[in-house]
Every structure is written in C-alpha cells, then in structure tokens.
Coordinates of all heavy atoms in Angstrom, one line a residue:
M1 N -61.9 160.8 -34.1 CA -61.1 159.6 -34.1 C -61.7 158.6 -35.1 O -62.9 158.4 -35.1 CB -61.2 159.1 -32.7 CG -60.4 157.8 -32.6 SD -60.7 156.8 -31.2 CE -59.7 157.5 -30.0
A2 N -60.9 158.0 -35.8 CA -61.4 157.0 -36.8 C -60.8 155.6 -36.4 O -59.8 155.5 -35.8 CB -60.8 157.3 -38.2
L3 N -61.6 154.6 -36.7 CA -61.1 153.2 -36.5 C -60.0 152.9 -37.5 O -60.2 153.2 -38.7 CB -62.3 152.3 -36.6 CG -63.4 152.4 -35.6 CD1 -64.5 151.4 -35.9 CD2 -62.9 152.1 -34.2
K4 N -59.0 152.3 -37.0 CA -57.9 151.9 -37.9 C -57.9 150.5 -38.2 O -57.2 150.1 -39.1 CB -56.6 152.3 -37.2 CG -56.5 153.8 -37.0 CD -55.1 154.2 -36.4 CE -55.1 155.7 -36.2 NZ -53.9 156.3 -36.0
A5 N -58.6 149.6 -37.5 CA -58.6 148.2 -37.8 C -60.1 147.7 -37.8 O -61.0 148.2 -37.1 CB -57.9 147.5 -36.7
K6 N -60.3 146.7 -38.7 CA -61.6 146.1 -38.8 C -61.8 145.2 -37.6 O -60.9 144.7 -37.1 CB -61.7 145.3 -40.1 CG -61.6 146.2 -41.4 CD -61.7 145.4 -42.6 CE -61.5 146.3 -43.8 NZ -61.5 145.5 -45.1
S7 N -63.1 145.0 -37.3 CA -63.4 144.1 -36.2 C -62.9 142.7 -36.5 O -63.2 142.1 -37.5 CB -64.9 144.1 -36.0 OG -65.3 143.0 -35.1
L8 N -62.2 142.1 -35.5 CA -61.7 140.7 -35.7 C -62.8 139.8 -35.8 O -62.7 138.8 -36.5 CB -60.7 140.4 -34.6 CG -59.4 141.0 -34.7 CD1 -58.5 140.5 -33.5 CD2 -58.7 140.6 -36.0
F9 N -64.0 140.0 -35.1 CA -65.1 139.1 -35.2 C -65.7 139.1 -36.6 O -66.1 138.0 -37.0 CB -66.2 139.4 -34.1 CG -67.2 138.4 -34.1 CD1 -67.0 137.2 -33.4 CD2 -68.4 138.5 -34.9 CE1 -68.0 136.2 -33.4 CE2 -69.3 137.5 -34.9 CZ -69.1 136.4 -34.1
L10 N -65.7 140.2 -37.2 CA -66.3 140.2 -38.6 C -65.3 139.9 -39.7 O -65.8 139.4 -40.7 CB -66.9 141.6 -38.8 CG -68.0 142.1 -37.9 CD1 -68.4 143.5 -38.2 CD2 -69.2 141.2 -38.0
Y11 N -64.0 140.0 -39.4 CA -63.1 139.8 -40.5 C -61.9 138.8 -40.2 O -61.2 138.5 -41.1 CB -62.5 141.1 -40.9 CG -63.5 142.1 -41.5 CD1 -64.1 143.0 -40.7 CD2 -63.9 142.0 -42.8 CE1 -65.1 143.9 -41.2 CE2 -64.8 142.8 -43.4 CZ -65.4 143.8 -42.6 OH -66.4 144.6 -43.1
G12 N -61.7 138.4 -39.0 CA -60.5 137.7 -38.7 C -60.7 136.2 -38.4 O -60.1 135.6 -37.5
H13 N -61.6 135.5 -39.2 CA -61.8 134.1 -38.9 C -60.8 133.2 -39.7 O -60.9 133.2 -40.9 CB -63.2 133.7 -39.3 CG -64.3 134.5 -38.6 ND1 -64.5 134.4 -37.3 CD2 -65.1 135.5 -39.0 CE1 -65.5 135.2 -36.9 NE2 -65.8 135.9 -38.0
E14 N -60.0 132.5 -39.0 CA -59.0 131.6 -39.6 C -59.5 130.2 -39.4 O -59.7 129.8 -38.3 CB -57.6 131.8 -39.0 CG -56.6 130.8 -39.7 CD -55.2 130.8 -39.0 OE1 -55.1 131.5 -38.0 OE2 -54.4 130.2 -39.6
I15 N -59.6 129.5 -40.5 CA -60.0 128.0 -40.4 C -58.7 127.3 -40.7 O -58.0 127.5 -41.7 CB -61.1 127.7 -41.4 CG1 -62.3 128.5 -41.2 CG2 -61.3 126.2 -41.4 CD1 -63.0 128.3 -39.8
N16 N -58.3 126.4 -39.7 CA -57.1 125.6 -39.8 C -57.4 124.2 -39.3 O -58.6 123.8 -39.1 CB -56.0 126.2 -39.1 CG -56.3 126.5 -37.6 OD1 -56.9 125.6 -37.0 ND2 -56.0 127.7 -37.1
S17 N -56.4 123.4 -39.1 CA -56.6 122.0 -38.7 C -57.2 121.8 -37.3 O -57.7 120.7 -37.0 CB -55.2 121.2 -38.8 OG -54.3 121.8 -37.9
F18 N -57.2 122.9 -36.5 CA -57.8 122.8 -35.2 C -59.3 123.1 -35.1 O -59.9 122.8 -34.2 CB -57.0 123.7 -34.2 CG -55.6 123.4 -34.1 CD1 -54.6 124.2 -34.6 CD2 -55.2 122.2 -33.4 CE1 -53.3 123.8 -34.5 CE2 -53.9 121.9 -33.2 CZ -52.9 122.7 -33.8
N19 N -59.8 123.7 -36.2 CA -61.2 124.2 -36.1 C -62.0 124.0 -37.4 O -62.9 124.7 -37.7 CB -61.3 125.6 -35.7 CG -60.6 126.6 -36.6 OD1 -60.1 126.2 -37.6 ND2 -60.7 127.9 -36.3
N20 N -61.6 123.0 -38.3 CA -62.2 122.9 -39.6 C -63.3 121.8 -39.7 O -63.8 121.6 -40.7 CB -61.1 122.6 -40.6 CG -60.5 121.2 -40.5 OD1 -60.4 120.7 -39.4 ND2 -60.2 120.6 -41.7
S21 N -63.7 121.3 -38.5 CA -64.7 120.2 -38.5 C -66.0 120.7 -37.8 O -65.9 121.4 -36.8 CB -64.2 119.0 -37.8 OG -63.0 118.5 -38.4
L22 N -67.1 120.3 -38.4 CA -68.4 120.7 -37.8 C -69.2 119.4 -37.8 O -69.6 118.9 -38.9 CB -69.0 121.8 -38.7 CG -70.4 122.3 -38.3 CD1 -70.3 122.9 -36.9 CD2 -70.9 123.3 -39.3
D23 N -69.5 118.8 -36.7 CA -70.3 117.7 -36.5 C -71.8 118.1 -36.5 O -72.1 119.1 -35.8 CB -70.0 116.9 -35.2 CG -68.6 116.3 -35.2 OD1 -68.0 116.2 -36.3 OD2 -68.1 116.1 -34.1
F24 N -72.7 117.4 -37.2 CA -74.1 117.6 -37.1 C -74.9 116.4 -37.4 O -74.4 115.4 -38.0 CB -74.5 118.8 -38.1 CG -74.3 118.4 -39.5 CD1 -75.4 118.2 -40.3 CD2 -73.1 118.4 -40.2 CE1 -75.3 117.9 -41.6 CE2 -72.9 118.1 -41.5 CZ -74.1 117.9 -42.3
V25 N -76.1 116.4 -37.0 CA -77.1 115.3 -37.2 C -78.2 115.9 -38.0 O -78.8 116.9 -37.6 CB -77.6 114.7 -35.9 CG1 -78.6 113.6 -36.2 CG2 -76.4 114.1 -35.1
S26 N -78.5 115.3 -39.2 CA -79.6 115.9 -40.0 C -80.9 115.2 -39.9 O -81.9 115.7 -40.4 CB -79.1 115.8 -41.5 OG -78.9 114.4 -41.9
S27 N -81.0 114.1 -39.1 CA -82.3 113.5 -38.9 C -82.3 112.8 -37.5 O -81.3 112.4 -37.0 CB -82.6 112.4 -40.0 OG -81.6 111.4 -39.9
L28 N -83.5 112.8 -36.9 CA -83.6 112.3 -35.5 C -83.2 110.9 -35.5 O -83.7 110.0 -36.2 CB -85.1 112.4 -35.1 CG -85.3 112.0 -33.6 CD1 -84.5 112.9 -32.7 CD2 -86.8 112.2 -33.3
G29 N -82.2 110.6 -34.7 CA -81.6 109.2 -34.6 C -80.7 108.8 -35.7 O -80.2 107.7 -35.7
G30 N -80.4 109.8 -36.6 CA -79.5 109.5 -37.7 C -78.1 109.6 -37.3 O -77.7 110.0 -36.2
P31 N -77.2 109.2 -38.2 CA -75.8 109.2 -37.9 C -75.2 110.7 -37.8 O -75.8 111.6 -38.4 CB -75.1 108.5 -39.1 CG -76.1 108.8 -40.2 CD -77.4 108.8 -39.6
T32 N -74.1 110.8 -37.0 CA -73.5 112.1 -37.0 C -72.7 112.3 -38.3 O -71.9 111.4 -38.7 CB -72.5 112.2 -35.8 OG1 -73.3 112.0 -34.6 CG2 -71.8 113.5 -35.7
K33 N -72.8 113.4 -38.9 CA -72.1 113.7 -40.1 C -71.0 114.7 -39.8 O -71.1 115.5 -38.9 CB -73.1 114.3 -41.2 CG -74.1 113.3 -41.6 CD -75.1 113.8 -42.6 CE -76.1 112.7 -42.9 NZ -77.0 113.0 -44.0
L34 N -70.0 114.7 -40.6 CA -68.8 115.6 -40.4 C -68.7 116.5 -41.6 O -68.3 116.1 -42.7 CB -67.6 114.8 -40.2 CG -66.3 115.6 -40.0 CD1 -66.3 116.4 -38.7 CD2 -65.1 114.7 -40.0
A35 N -68.9 117.8 -41.4 CA -68.7 118.8 -42.5 C -67.3 119.4 -42.3 O -66.9 119.7 -41.2 CB -69.7 120.0 -42.4
T36 N -66.5 119.4 -43.3 CA -65.1 119.8 -43.2 C -65.0 121.1 -44.0 O -65.2 121.2 -45.2 CB -64.1 118.8 -43.8 OG1 -64.3 117.5 -43.1 CG2 -62.7 119.2 -43.7
L37 N -64.6 122.2 -43.3 CA -64.4 123.5 -43.9 C -63.0 123.6 -44.5 O -62.0 123.0 -44.0 CB -64.5 124.6 -42.8 CG -65.8 124.6 -42.0 CD1 -65.8 125.6 -40.9 CD2 -67.0 124.8 -42.9
N38 N -62.9 124.3 -45.6 CA -61.6 124.6 -46.2 C -60.8 125.5 -45.4 O -61.3 126.5 -44.8 CB -61.8 125.1 -47.7 CG -62.4 124.1 -48.6 OD1 -62.1 122.9 -48.5 ND2 -63.3 124.5 -49.4
Y39 N -59.5 125.3 -45.4 CA -58.6 126.2 -44.6 C -58.6 127.6 -45.3 O -58.7 127.7 -46.5 CB -57.1 125.7 -44.7 CG -56.9 124.4 -43.9 CD1 -57.9 123.7 -43.2 CD2 -55.6 123.9 -43.9 CE1 -57.7 122.6 -42.6 CE2 -55.4 122.7 -43.2 CZ -56.4 122.0 -42.5 OH -56.1 120.9 -41.9
G40 N -58.4 128.6 -44.5 CA -58.3 130.0 -45.0 C -58.7 131.0 -44.0 O -59.1 130.7 -42.9
Y41 N -58.7 132.2 -44.4 CA -59.1 133.4 -43.6 C -60.4 133.9 -44.2 O -60.5 134.0 -45.4 CB -58.1 134.5 -43.7 CG -56.8 134.2 -42.9 CD1 -55.8 133.6 -43.5 CD2 -56.8 134.5 -41.5 CE1 -54.6 133.3 -42.8 CE2 -55.6 134.2 -40.8 CZ -54.5 133.6 -41.5 OH -53.4 133.3 -40.7
Y42 N -61.4 134.1 -43.4 CA -62.8 134.4 -43.8 C -63.3 135.6 -43.1 O -63.1 135.8 -41.9 CB -63.7 133.2 -43.5 CG -63.4 132.0 -44.3 CD1 -62.6 131.0 -43.7 CD2 -64.0 131.8 -45.6 CE1 -62.3 129.8 -44.4 CE2 -63.7 130.6 -46.2 CZ -62.9 129.6 -45.7 OH -62.6 128.5 -46.4
C43 N -64.1 136.5 -43.8 CA -64.9 137.4 -43.2 C -66.2 136.7 -42.7 O -66.4 135.5 -43.1 CB -65.2 138.6 -44.1 SG -66.3 138.2 -45.5
L44 N -67.0 137.3 -42.0 CA -68.2 136.6 -41.4 C -69.1 136.1 -42.6 O -69.5 134.9 -42.5 CB -69.0 137.5 -40.5 CG -70.2 136.9 -39.8 CD1 -69.8 135.7 -39.0 CD2 -70.9 137.9 -39.0
T45 N -69.3 136.9 -43.6 CA -70.2 136.5 -44.7 C -69.6 135.3 -45.4 O -70.3 134.3 -45.8 CB -70.4 137.6 -45.7 OG1 -70.9 138.7 -45.0 CG2 -71.3 137.3 -46.8
D46 N -68.3 135.3 -45.7 CA -67.7 134.2 -46.4 C -67.6 132.9 -45.6 O -67.7 131.8 -46.1 CB -66.2 134.6 -46.9 CG -66.3 135.6 -48.0 OD1 -67.3 135.8 -48.6 OD2 -65.2 136.2 -48.2
L47 N -67.5 133.1 -44.2 CA -67.5 131.9 -43.3 C -68.9 131.3 -43.4 O -69.0 130.0 -43.4 CB -67.1 132.4 -41.9 CG -67.1 131.2 -40.9 CD1 -66.1 130.2 -41.2 CD2 -66.8 131.8 -39.5
M48 N -69.9 132.0 -43.4 CA -71.3 131.5 -43.5 C -71.5 130.7 -44.8 O -72.0 129.6 -44.8 CB -72.3 132.6 -43.3 CG -72.3 133.2 -41.9 SD -73.7 134.4 -41.6 CE -73.6 135.5 -43.0
T49 N -70.9 131.2 -45.9 CA -71.0 130.6 -47.1 C -70.2 129.2 -47.1 O -70.7 128.2 -47.6 CB -70.5 131.5 -48.3 OG1 -71.2 132.7 -48.3 CG2 -70.5 130.8 -49.6
E50 N -69.1 129.2 -46.5 CA -68.3 128.0 -46.4 C -68.9 127.0 -45.5 O -68.9 125.8 -45.8 CB -66.9 128.4 -45.8 CG -66.0 127.2 -45.6 CD -65.6 126.4 -46.9 OE1 -65.9 126.9 -48.0 OE2 -65.1 125.3 -46.8
I51 N -69.6 127.4 -44.4 CA -70.3 126.4 -43.6 C -71.4 125.8 -44.4 O -71.6 124.6 -44.3 CB -70.9 127.1 -42.3 CG1 -69.7 127.5 -41.4 CG2 -71.9 126.3 -41.6 CD1 -70.1 128.5 -40.3
K52 N -72.2 126.6 -45.1 CA -73.3 126.1 -46.0 C -72.7 125.1 -47.0 O -73.3 124.0 -47.1 CB -74.0 127.2 -46.7 CG -75.1 126.8 -47.7 CD -75.7 128.0 -48.4 CE -76.6 127.6 -49.5 NZ -77.8 126.9 -49.1
R53 N -71.6 125.4 -47.6 CA -71.1 124.5 -48.6 C -70.7 123.2 -48.0 O -71.0 122.1 -48.6 CB -69.8 125.2 -49.3 CG -69.2 124.3 -50.4 CD -67.7 124.5 -50.5 NE -66.9 124.3 -49.3 CZ -66.6 123.0 -48.8 NH1 -66.9 121.9 -49.5 NH2 -65.9 122.9 -47.7
A54 N -70.0 123.2 -46.9 CA -69.5 122.0 -46.3 C -70.6 121.1 -45.8 O -70.5 119.9 -45.9 CB -68.5 122.4 -45.1
M55 N -71.7 121.7 -45.2 CA -72.8 120.9 -44.7 C -73.6 120.3 -45.9 O -73.9 119.1 -45.8 CB -73.7 121.8 -43.8 CG -73.0 122.1 -42.5 SD -74.1 123.1 -41.4 CE -75.2 121.8 -40.8
E56 N -73.8 121.0 -46.9 CA -74.5 120.5 -48.1 C -73.7 119.4 -48.8 O -74.3 118.5 -49.5 CB -75.0 121.6 -49.0 CG -76.1 122.4 -48.4 CD -76.6 123.6 -49.2 OE1 -76.0 123.9 -50.3 OE2 -77.6 124.2 -48.8
A57 N -72.4 119.5 -48.7 CA -71.5 118.5 -49.4 C -71.7 117.1 -48.7 O -71.6 116.1 -49.3 CB -70.1 118.9 -49.3
Q58 N -72.0 117.2 -47.4 CA -72.2 115.9 -46.6 C -73.6 115.5 -46.6 O -73.9 114.3 -46.3 CB -71.6 116.1 -45.2 CG -70.2 116.3 -45.1 CD -69.4 115.1 -45.7 OE1 -69.8 113.9 -45.4 NE2 -68.5 115.3 -46.5
D59 N -74.5 116.4 -46.8 CA -76.0 116.0 -46.7 C -76.7 116.6 -47.9 O -77.2 117.7 -47.9 CB -76.6 116.5 -45.4 CG -78.0 116.2 -45.3 OD1 -78.5 115.4 -46.1 OD2 -78.7 116.8 -44.4
G60 N -76.7 115.9 -49.0 CA -77.3 116.4 -50.3 C -78.8 116.4 -50.3 O -79.4 116.9 -51.2
L61 N -79.4 115.8 -49.2 CA -80.9 115.8 -49.2 C -81.5 117.0 -48.6 O -82.7 117.3 -48.8 CB -81.3 114.6 -48.3 CG -80.9 113.2 -48.8 CD1 -81.3 112.1 -47.8 CD2 -81.4 112.9 -50.2
N62 N -80.7 117.8 -47.9 CA -81.3 119.1 -47.3 C -80.5 120.3 -47.8 O -79.4 120.2 -48.2 CB -81.1 119.0 -45.8 CG -82.0 118.0 -45.1 OD1 -83.2 118.0 -45.4 ND2 -81.5 117.1 -44.4
T63 N -81.2 121.4 -47.7 CA -80.6 122.7 -48.0 C -80.4 123.4 -46.7 O -81.3 123.5 -45.9 CB -81.5 123.5 -49.0 OG1 -81.7 122.8 -50.2 CG2 -80.9 124.9 -49.3
Y64 N -79.2 124.0 -46.5 CA -78.9 124.7 -45.2 C -78.8 126.2 -45.5 O -78.3 126.6 -46.5 CB -77.6 124.1 -44.6 CG -77.7 122.7 -44.2 CD1 -77.5 121.6 -45.1 CD2 -78.2 122.4 -42.9 CE1 -77.6 120.3 -44.7 CE2 -78.4 121.1 -42.5 CZ -78.1 120.1 -43.4 OH -78.3 118.8 -43.0
T65 N -79.4 126.9 -44.5 CA -79.3 128.3 -44.5 C -78.5 128.8 -43.3 O -78.8 128.4 -42.2 CB -80.8 128.9 -44.5 OG1 -81.5 128.4 -45.6 CG2 -80.7 130.5 -44.6
V66 N -77.5 129.6 -43.6 CA -76.7 130.1 -42.5 C -76.8 131.6 -42.5 O -76.6 132.3 -43.5 CB -75.2 129.7 -42.7 CG1 -74.3 130.2 -41.6 CG2 -75.1 128.2 -43.0
T67 N -77.2 132.2 -41.3 CA -77.4 133.6 -41.2 C -76.7 134.1 -39.9 O -76.4 133.3 -39.0 CB -78.9 133.9 -41.1 OG1 -79.5 133.2 -39.9 CG2 -79.7 133.6 -42.3
A68 N -76.5 135.4 -39.8 CA -76.0 136.0 -38.6 C -76.9 137.1 -38.2 O -77.4 137.9 -39.0 CB -74.6 136.6 -38.9
D69 N -77.1 137.2 -36.9 CA -77.8 138.3 -36.3 C -76.9 139.5 -36.1 O -76.0 139.4 -35.2 CB -78.5 137.9 -35.0 CG -79.3 139.0 -34.3 OD1 -79.3 140.1 -34.8 OD2 -79.9 138.7 -33.3
R70 N -77.0 140.5 -36.8 CA -76.0 141.6 -36.7 C -76.6 142.8 -35.9 O -76.1 143.9 -36.0 CB -75.6 142.1 -38.1 CG -74.8 141.0 -38.9 CD -74.4 141.5 -40.2 NE -73.8 140.4 -40.9 CZ -72.6 140.5 -41.4 NH1 -71.9 141.6 -41.4 NH2 -72.0 139.5 -42.1
S71 N -77.7 142.6 -35.2 CA -78.2 143.6 -34.4 C -77.5 143.7 -33.0 O -76.7 142.8 -32.7 CB -79.7 143.4 -34.2 OG -79.9 142.3 -33.4
F72 N -77.8 144.7 -32.2 CA -77.3 144.8 -30.9 C -78.3 144.6 -29.9 O -78.6 145.4 -29.0 CB -76.6 146.2 -30.7 CG -75.4 146.4 -31.5 CD1 -75.4 147.1 -32.7 CD2 -74.2 145.8 -31.1 CE1 -74.3 147.2 -33.5 CE2 -73.0 146.0 -31.8 CZ -73.1 146.7 -33.0
S73 N -79.0 143.4 -29.9 CA -80.1 143.2 -29.0 C -79.8 142.0 -28.0 O -79.7 140.9 -28.4 CB -81.4 142.9 -29.8 OG -81.2 141.8 -30.6
G74 N -79.6 142.4 -26.8 CA -79.5 141.3 -25.8 C -78.3 140.4 -25.9 O -78.4 139.3 -25.4
G75 N -77.2 140.8 -26.5 CA -76.0 140.0 -26.6 C -76.1 139.0 -27.7 O -75.2 138.1 -27.7
T76 N -77.0 139.0 -28.6 CA -77.1 138.1 -29.7 C -76.4 138.5 -31.0 O -76.5 137.9 -32.0 CB -78.5 137.7 -30.0 OG1 -79.2 138.8 -30.4 CG2 -79.2 137.1 -28.8
Q77 N -75.8 139.7 -30.9 CA -75.2 140.2 -32.1 C -74.1 139.3 -32.7 O -73.4 138.7 -31.9 CB -74.6 141.6 -31.9 CG -73.5 141.7 -30.9 CD -74.1 142.0 -29.5 OE1 -75.2 141.8 -29.2 NE2 -73.2 142.4 -28.6
N78 N -74.1 139.1 -34.0 CA -73.2 138.3 -34.7 C -73.2 136.8 -34.4 O -72.3 136.1 -34.7 CB -71.8 138.9 -34.6 CG -71.6 140.3 -35.1 OD1 -72.1 140.6 -36.2 ND2 -71.0 141.1 -34.4
R79 N -74.3 136.4 -33.8 CA -74.5 135.0 -33.6 C -74.9 134.3 -34.9 O -75.8 134.7 -35.6 CB -75.6 134.8 -32.6 CG -75.9 133.3 -32.2 CD -76.9 133.1 -31.2 NE -76.3 133.7 -29.9 CZ -77.0 133.8 -28.8 NH1 -78.3 133.4 -28.8 NH2 -76.5 134.2 -27.7
I80 N -74.3 133.2 -35.2 CA -74.6 132.5 -36.5 C -75.7 131.5 -36.1 O -75.6 130.7 -35.1 CB -73.3 131.8 -37.0 CG1 -72.3 132.8 -37.5 CG2 -73.7 130.8 -38.1 CD1 -71.0 132.2 -38.0
T81 N -76.7 131.4 -37.0 CA -77.8 130.4 -36.9 C -77.8 129.6 -38.2 O -77.7 130.1 -39.3 CB -79.1 131.2 -36.7 OG1 -79.1 132.0 -35.6 CG2 -80.3 130.2 -36.6
I82 N -77.9 128.3 -38.0 CA -78.0 127.3 -39.1 C -79.4 126.7 -39.1 O -79.8 126.1 -38.1 CB -76.9 126.3 -39.1 CG1 -75.5 126.9 -39.0 CG2 -77.0 125.3 -40.2 CD1 -74.4 126.0 -38.7
T83 N -80.1 126.8 -40.2 CA -81.4 126.1 -40.3 C -81.4 125.2 -41.5 O -80.5 125.3 -42.4 CB -82.6 127.1 -40.5 OG1 -82.3 127.9 -41.7 CG2 -82.7 128.0 -39.3
S84 N -82.3 124.2 -41.6 CA -82.3 123.2 -42.6 C -83.7 123.1 -43.2 O -84.7 123.4 -42.6 CB -81.9 121.8 -41.9 OG -82.2 120.8 -42.8
S85 N -83.7 122.6 -44.5 CA -85.0 122.4 -45.1 C -85.6 121.1 -44.6 O -86.8 120.9 -44.8 CB -84.7 122.3 -46.7 OG -83.9 121.2 -47.0
G86 N -84.8 120.3 -43.9 CA -85.4 119.1 -43.3 C -86.1 119.4 -42.0 O -86.2 120.6 -41.6
T87 N -86.6 118.4 -41.4 CA -87.4 118.6 -40.1 C -86.5 118.5 -38.9 O -87.0 118.8 -37.8 CB -88.5 117.5 -40.0 OG1 -87.8 116.2 -40.1 CG2 -89.5 117.7 -41.2
Y88 N -85.2 118.2 -39.0 CA -84.4 118.1 -37.8 C -83.0 118.6 -38.1 O -82.5 118.3 -39.1 CB -84.3 116.6 -37.4 CG -83.5 116.4 -36.1 CD1 -84.1 116.6 -34.9 CD2 -82.2 115.9 -36.2 CE1 -83.3 116.4 -33.7 CE2 -81.5 115.7 -35.0 CZ -82.0 115.9 -33.8 OH -81.3 115.8 -32.7
L89 N -82.4 119.3 -37.1 CA -81.0 119.8 -37.3 C -80.4 119.7 -35.9 O -81.0 120.2 -34.9 CB -81.0 121.2 -37.8 CG -79.6 121.8 -38.0 CD1 -78.8 121.0 -39.0 CD2 -79.7 123.2 -38.5

C-alpha cells in the first residue's frame, strides 16, 4: 500500500486573514510587536522561513531562528520552536 496524499501538517498550511498575525515581545517589559505573515499555502519549511521573515521585519535588532522537531519522541514531533539572538523572547 502506498500513501496517496502528503501529510496535511507538513504541506497544508494556509495563511489567510484569520491567522496571519503573530504577536511577540522581544525584550523584557518591551512593547508587543506584530509580525504579519504573507497570505498563501506553505509547506512546513516554507512556513518557518515566512515566520522568520515576518519577525525580523518587525524587530531588526535581533535574528530569529525557527526550527521544527521532526522526531517521534514524546509527542513533540513537528513542534515549531522560535529562538532569538536577544536575551528575551
């Protein structure tokens, strides 16, 4: 038996007007910033790239790294993690 469809979690991410905003704080006590993602359909890798682009567009002082845990350990598979070159995220 062969799989006929790709995993929706890995390939079926649609960004639209209902889910294109990502609020974050880049410094302790700092203002809330709003990263706005571009509309479209994304695979997981492209979605991570888009999140990085949107966050760095709002916060030019820090570099953001977006990764996904693709292992099957304890229910953390495909969890996206965002880290910052700053001291607070």
Side-chain angles (χ1 to χ4, degrees):
M1 177 197 278
L3 294 175
K4 296 183 182 194
K6 295 178 181 178
S7 168
L8 286 180
F9 187 83
L10 296 177
Y11 295 95
H13 303 289
E14 178 184 7
I15 300 300
N16 56 42
S17 62
F18 297 108
N19 63 358
N20 71 325
S21 300
L22 180 63
D23 296 339
F24 68 103
V25 177
S26 62
S27 61
L28 186 60
T32 300
K33 298 181 181 186
L34 178 66
T36 303
L37 305 176
N38 291 322
Y39 293 0
Y41 289 91
Y42 296 91
C43 66
L44 183 59
T45 303
D46 290 343
L47 179 60
M48 292 187 308
T49 300
E50 178 60 12
I51 291 169
K52 175 182 173 63
R53 182 211 58 80
M55 291 181 75
E56 289 179 352
Q58 290 303 311
D59 180 15
L61 299 177
N62 292 307
T63 300
Y64 293 90
T65 303
V66 184
T67 58
D69 180 357
R70 294 181 184 235
S71 68
F72 289 101
S73 57
T76 62
Q77 61 270 16
N78 297 317
R79 180 176 294 173
I80 291 178
T81 302
I82 303 169
T83 57
S84 168
S85 63
T87 57
Y88 182 80
L89 179 62

